[in-house]
Amino acid sequence: MQIDDAGDFIINKLNNELPGHLIYHNSAHAIDVYEAAKRIGEDEGIAGDDMTMLLTAACYHDSGFLVTIKGHEEESCRIARSSLSNFGYSNEQINRICGMIMATRLPQSPKNHLEEILADADLDNLGRDDFFDVSHKLFLESKFFDKVAGEREWNLMQIDFIEKHQYFTKTAINLRQAKKDANLGRIKALVNL
């Protein structure tokens, strides 16, 4: 598996082909998820081919936005299936990568440890100091697609989402849960809940 070449291929594609209004679901998000998956994976004892597949899934998990918004996870798998064999990935490895990609679909429902790690990496920002900056990008993107009217509605949606969200891995729980709870409290204060 040629992770560097496979990762460069999809990151370049995201940089060059995604529309400008995708200010959250873009190459920066893919790289952010890659870095979170690497950190969580290492802490969870992932190594070797499993780590390579995890990091590949992180790079490809939102590549479907190149084609569609609705059902982008399925499209991400299609892109992975059509390109990863060129980088030395077997069908079995690609199937496992697609399982991880599908585990990021909301509501998240990972079925194994690697899928749990990628699900946690995808929403790592919920429990970070940069949560509000990242959230604002997602708000602007959602507003572009008429999924939300204004900031109060967005904040109420965020509260509902974060209250229902759970981290799966011990690493993410230990590293992000307390800050996620604090971020939730700040949003509730903004809307006087």
Side-chain angles (χ1 to χ4, degrees):
M1 290 180 284
Q2 303 160 11
I3 175 71
D4 292 339
D5 292 340
D8 287 347
F9 167 79
I10 199 62
I11 296 300
N12 286 334
K13 205 163 174 54
L14 295 173
N15 278 332
N16 295 323
E17 297 178 27
L18 279 176
H21 56 262
L22 292 175
I23 59 173
Y24 174 80
H25 290 102
N26 56 29
S27 62
H29 173 65
I31 292 166
D32 182 63
V33 173
Y34 175 98
E35 290 169 355
K38 187 169 196 260
R39 183 183 58 254
I40 296 168
E42 287 171 350
D43 287 352
E44 293 282 314
I46 304 302
D49 285 352
D50 283 350
M51 180 62 87
T52 299
M53 287 185 287
L54 173 65
L55 297 179
T56 303
C59 290
Y60 279 76
H61 83 283
D62 277 343
S63 61
F65 276 93
L66 289 161
V67 179
T68 187
I69 294 159
K70 187 173 177 147
H72 68 270
E73 296 90 356
E74 290 87 350
E75 194 60 35
S76 297
C77 286
R78 191 196 63 72
I79 292 168
R81 288 184 196 288
S82 70
S83 61
L84 288 178
S85 58
N86 299 326
F87 300 107
Y89 291 75
S90 70
N91 285 338
E92 180 188 340
Q93 291 164 334
I94 294 169
N95 287 338
R96 291 183 67 198
I97 289 165
C98 286
M100 288 180 251
I101 291 170
M102 294 308 296
T104 66
R105 182 170 45 188
L106 300 175
Q108 295 177 325
S109 56
K111 295 172 180 57
N112 60 50
H113 195 207
L114 291 177
E115 292 179 10
E116 289 175 344
I117 293 169
L118 190 62
D120 284 353
D122 191 29
L123 296 176
D124 184 64
N125 66 288
L126 297 180
R128 293 192 324 224
D129 291 336
D130 66 346
F131 166 76
F132 287 93
D133 292 335
V134 174
S135 174
H136 186 67
K137 289 178 183 175
L138 186 55
F139 163 69
L140 293 175
E141 191 177 288
S142 298
K143 198 166 166 111
F144 179 87
F145 291 111
D146 293 322
K147 292 183 176 181
V148 62
E151 289 195 28
R152 179 171 174 78
E153 180 187 357
W154 174 250
N155 286 330
L156 292 170
M157 287 170 59
Q158 290 281 89
I159 290 167
D160 183 59
F161 181 80
I162 294 170
E163 285 181 338
K164 290 177 181 171
H165 171 263
Q166 66 170 16
Y167 285 119
F168 298 98
T169 62
K170 207 179 288 189
T171 299
I173 292 166
N174 291 338
L175 191 63
R176 299 295 184 217
Q177 187 65 47
K179 184 66 180 179
K180 183 181 94 167
D181 294 341
N183 288 337
L184 176 61
R186 283 183 60 193
I187 301 170
K188 285 183 172 182
L190 286 172
V191 295
N192 298 314
L193 288 181

